[in-house]
Amino acid sequence: MKGGRLSAKTRYMLGMVVDATGAGMYLPLSLLYFHHVTGLPLTQVGTLMTAAAVIGLVSNPAAGVLIDRFGAKAVVTGGYLLRAAGFCTYPLVDNGYTMFAVILLVALGDTSYPPAIQSFIAEFVQGTERDKLLAAQRSLRNAGLGVGGLVAGGVLALGSDAFYYVIVVGTAAGYLLAAACFGSIPIAKSAAPAARTSRKGGYRLVARNRPFLALTLLNVPTAFGYTVLAIGIPAYVTQDLGASTSLVGVLYAVNTVGIALLQIPVTRALVAYRRSRAVALGAAVFASSFLMFAVLAAVGDKTAILIGIFAATALFTAGELMHGATASALCAQAAPEETRGRHLAVYQLSWAVPSALAPAVLTALLTLSPLAMWLVLAVGATVSALGVLRLEPRLPEEAVYPRPRPVPEGRGLPAEPAPA
């Protein structure tokens, strides 16, 4: 039985790595790919991508119904197959109409994924094993994204337009293999169905939880910042700074590999501090990286620009290391246990909405002025950082102060240190 469980975990992690590698090949090039194959302006491409993503949000609540009816494994594998089908049709895109159709197909699979994968994890692993699996998943997934980014950079460095198609077909193959891995994992039937609670009352309680709603709203500007890695940076470094397209994949790899290697030690170091302070510091570091990117447009020396691009990307990665995992922990602990699911569903919107709007918003700002895009992002991240600090006294004490284990007296007291 134990061997079977280990085998299931191995297949699960293999599916995650394959999924992440395929995504890492394509994500940093998504905007540039459609600009390349359709010849449409970046602003129009971004608008179409945003429209498809916003419409695709309807699959999130629909996925919940399907999970309850058919099981999480069916929805996870179905979502992978849907996205694979979409990517297989990408080479057929040659205008805005076909582009919108295939992006919408993939968006429906993308937005159904978060609730499905969380339910899937709960179905096949329990207790402390779930925490271990999630920790390993984050590291391996980012490693896969990094490898995919390096593969994309190497393929595009060969200099042939045909390799754009190699990347999207490779991504489709990755989704098919991931579907096979997840679909082969056996799920034990639960002895009794989970007790149902009132949805109506639960969401009323979320609406009355003003500090939690404020925390959710304050995450929106920072969530927009996360999207620049796939949307803003590729277009900016290639079109405004004159860097090679192959550099985009390398930058994506720097970010993802950095997170894969450093997320666990950084998070361990941050548990001695207030979560709200770490989250605010992460947002502030994001703001600093955006300002550094903005300054590069005024630099004339190509070598200095290249060094600056890598330095700004490293700073962006540092902000993500401080903010990402800690913000999730802060929010999860701030949600009342009896309605945690509904609270976290609302919080998820602070990530989903910026992700959907980012292609249109960021390309519009880039068209207006690259400096305007970076300044808007920097101001947003700064507002988020200051807002979380002001909100701190209104958040539950157990959310602000992490206490995974007793802290020795006189060492790393969480109430005292303030991030530099």
Side-chain angles (χ1 to χ4, degrees), residues 320-414:
E320 188 173 348
L321 287 166
M322 296 175 202
H323 181 274
T326 308
S328 297
L330 173 66
C331 186
Q333 199 64 47
E337 186 176 354
E338 62 275 11
T339 53
R340 182 166 292 161
R342 291 166 180 79
H343 275 76
L344 296 183
V346 171
Y347 178 72
Q348 183 63 31
L349 291 175
S350 71
W351 294 98
V353 172
S355 179
L357 296 179
V361 172
L362 295 186
T363 53
L365 287 171
L366 267 175
T367 302
L368 175 66
S369 164
L371 180 62
M373 183 189 76
W374 293 118
L375 290 182
V376 167
L377 289 169
V379 169
T382 302
V383 169
S384 180
L386 295 176
V388 170
L389 292 178
R390 291 201 56 172
L391 185 64
E392 182 183 283
R394 299 174 58 198
L395 296 173
E397 183 177 331
E398 64 271 18
V400 173
Y401 299 102
R403 293 186 181 125
R405 61 185 66 171
V407 180
E409 237 184 282
R411 178 180 177 271
L413 293 176

Side-chain angles (χ1 to χ4, degrees), residues 34 37-40 89-99 165:
F34 286 113
V37 299
T38 65
L40 296 172
T89 60
Y90 273 24
L92 304 178
V93 171
D94 59 1
N95 58 63
Y97 297 106
T98 54
M99 173 190 157
Y165 300 107

Side-chain angles (χ1 to χ4, degrees), residues 109 183 205 246 313 369:
L205 291 174
S246 62
T313 302
S369 164

Side-chain angles (χ1 to χ4, degrees), residues 121-140:
I121 292 169
E123 284 182 3
F124 99 97
V125 66
Q126 290 79 36
T128 57
E129 291 300 311
R130 187 183 302 167
D131 300 300
K132 294 176 183 177
L133 181 66
L134 288 169
Q137 170 186 313
R138 182 170 175 83
S139 292
L140 286 178

Side-chain angles (χ1 to χ4, degrees), residues 94-187:
D94 59 1
N95 58 63
Y97 297 106
T98 54
M99 173 190 157
F100 179 78
V102 299
I103 291 178
L104 179 59
L105 188 65
V106 173
L108 291 171
D110 284 342
T111 51
S112 69
Y113 182 76
I117 197 64
Q118 292 301 322
S119 299
F120 184 77
I121 292 169
E123 284 182 3
F124 99 97
V125 66
Q126 290 79 36
T128 57
E129 291 300 311
R130 187 183 302 167
D131 300 300
K132 294 176 183 177
L133 181 66
L134 288 169
Q137 170 186 313
R138 182 170 175 83
S139 292
L140 286 178
R141 182 168 178 79
N142 278 281
L145 289 168
V147 170
L150 286 174
V151 170
V155 168
L156 291 178
L158 297 175
S160 171
D161 289 349
F163 288 118
Y164 275 99
Y165 300 107
V166 172
I167 289 173
V168 296
V169 172
T171 302
Y175 283 138
L176 287 173
L177 185 53
C181 291
F182 283 103
S184 68
I185 297 174
I187 302 296

